[in-house]
Amino acid sequence: MNYESLEFAALETARVAPVTGCNELIAVAKHLHTLGTTHAYRALGGMLSSNLIETACFDKRLDDYVHNEVWAHLIDDVSVDSSGSRIAAIAKDELWSKVDFIVLLTMYRGSKENAYTDKLEVRAVINSTKDASPQTVDAFGKFILSLWGLWSGKSIFFKGIEKYLLEGIPGLEYLIQFHSLNYALDSKDWGKTSFFPEPFSESLVAQKLQLTMTEISAPDLAVMKGQNFYNPDNKYIQLCCPATSCIRRTGDRAPIAWICCHADYQMGVLRTVDEYQGRGLAKYVIHDLGNKMIKDFAAKVSSLYKYSQPNDAYVIQMIAERSNRTPIRLYENFGFRLVAEVTWAECRFHPAGGPPKL
């Protein structure tokens, strides 16, 4: 595949529009920021943490490990502008009401040159602060089935999709499925609870146990393996995570507590090794990472606005397994609130008659 071309160009129809050019991608990114839902921020985070906008606007190749595509599904047909883009026409005339959902597709490059792995990730944003209408649910199901048909029958990973959207896709077969709780906190409220700790370097636990706050590095992954439900590899940490936080012993540099900001700007992979649990270390890595995420996200969003100031609101998000109450209580103490229950699933499809026409 030619990297400049679209992997799924055959998806384009009168109702499905690719978002490819610099101005179009920036317009969609700004709209997601304005929309401000948790799903919008996650899709926006995926756009900002990858090389998608940089490649389109500045031909800046950060790395080919990740390839993202953005697609918009339209409620009504939209005429193209002078550049031939329907998204540019929507952005120019503020016709965002004609878009019912936006999808971010993510592929990871495999070991073979110019080849992608069988891993295709899907993140979906309903263009509303409310649940999708039955018509939008039906359209999303048809979009996914057509996508699967072009993906040659390989599996698709749904990343934090709400259950009712998945239920609207006929013929779905779950290979892996788990439900998680999506918590969120407006950045304006970050630091307002009494639970927020002092700087880690000034804490008694850091001084008594001789601990240092740093970031996750490649040698740490061997220690982390098997400690979390999801075990990131080195490439993911280096190229996809905007920020990480790690507490380690000062002497042998061994990691003992860690957390990372995922590619879609969600906190996750929180863990303290067994022998150091009960010492309050988790709250320090959460605090450190939250500060990094707000600063990093604000800088990247500001780069989208050349002549105007962006809304500085940002929703910090985290994901937690339903059965693991310890990190949930920690996040609640920081002020996070439950906003949704979402599904993470690897799926294949067995639709009757094959993928439908969009």
Side-chain angles (χ1 to χ4, degrees), residues 205-242:
V205 65
Q207 296 172 13
K208 182 178 180 180
L209 299 179
Q210 296 186 336
L211 304 176
T212 304
M213 180 74 72
T214 61
E215 298 179 340
I216 297 173
S217 60
D220 301 332
L221 300 179
V223 177
M224 295 170 60
K225 188 175 182 180
Q227 297 269 3
N228 296 89
F229 180 86
Y230 171 73
N231 295 298
D233 60 22
N234 188 41
K235 270 197 169 182
Y236 183 83
I237 291 293
Q238 286 185 332
L239 302 174
C240 301
C241 293

Side-chain angles (χ1 to χ4, degrees), residues 74-90:
L74 311 179
I75 299 173
D76 299 312
D77 195 11
V78 176
S79 299
V80 300
D81 73 345
S82 57
S83 68
S85 168
R86 285 174 287 166
I87 299 301
I90 287 172

Side-chain angles (χ1 to χ4, degrees), residues 20 62 88 117 120 135 139 152 223 258 298 311 348-349 355:
T20 56
L62 300 182
T117 65
L120 171 64
Q135 293 79 10
S152 303
V223 177
W258 56 80
N311 180 346
R348 293 182 187 272
F349 303 88

Side-chain angles (χ1 to χ4, degrees), residues 42 103-106 120-124 140 143-144 147 156-161:
R42 282 164 47 195
V103 174
L104 175 66
L105 307 177
T106 303
L120 171 64
E121 297 180 349
V122 176
R123 294 174 177 85
F140 178 73
F143 176 91
I144 294 299
L147 175 66
I156 294 178
F157 291 76
F158 293 98
K159 307 289 284 187
I161 303 291

Side-chain angles (χ1 to χ4, degrees), residues 315-335:
V315 175
I316 309 170
Q317 298 187 68
M318 55 77 65
I319 48 178
E321 298 175 48
R322 297 178 62 184
S323 59
N324 194 347
R325 288 298 308 171
T326 300
I328 291 175
R329 285 194 294 269
L330 269 175
Y331 285 112
E332 289 174 340
N333 287 337
F334 273 97

Side-chain angles (χ1 to χ4, degrees), residues 62-100:
L62 300 182
D63 193 275
D64 283 352
Y65 174 62
V66 183
H67 174 64
N68 284 320
E69 295 180 9
V70 181
W71 291 84
H73 189 276
L74 311 179
I75 299 173
D76 299 312
D77 195 11
V78 176
S79 299
V80 300
D81 73 345
S82 57
S83 68
S85 168
R86 285 174 287 166
I87 299 301
I90 287 172
K92 179 181 178 181
D93 297 325
E94 292 295 327
L95 300 175
W96 292 108
S97 61
K98 291 184 177 291
V99 176
D100 55 354

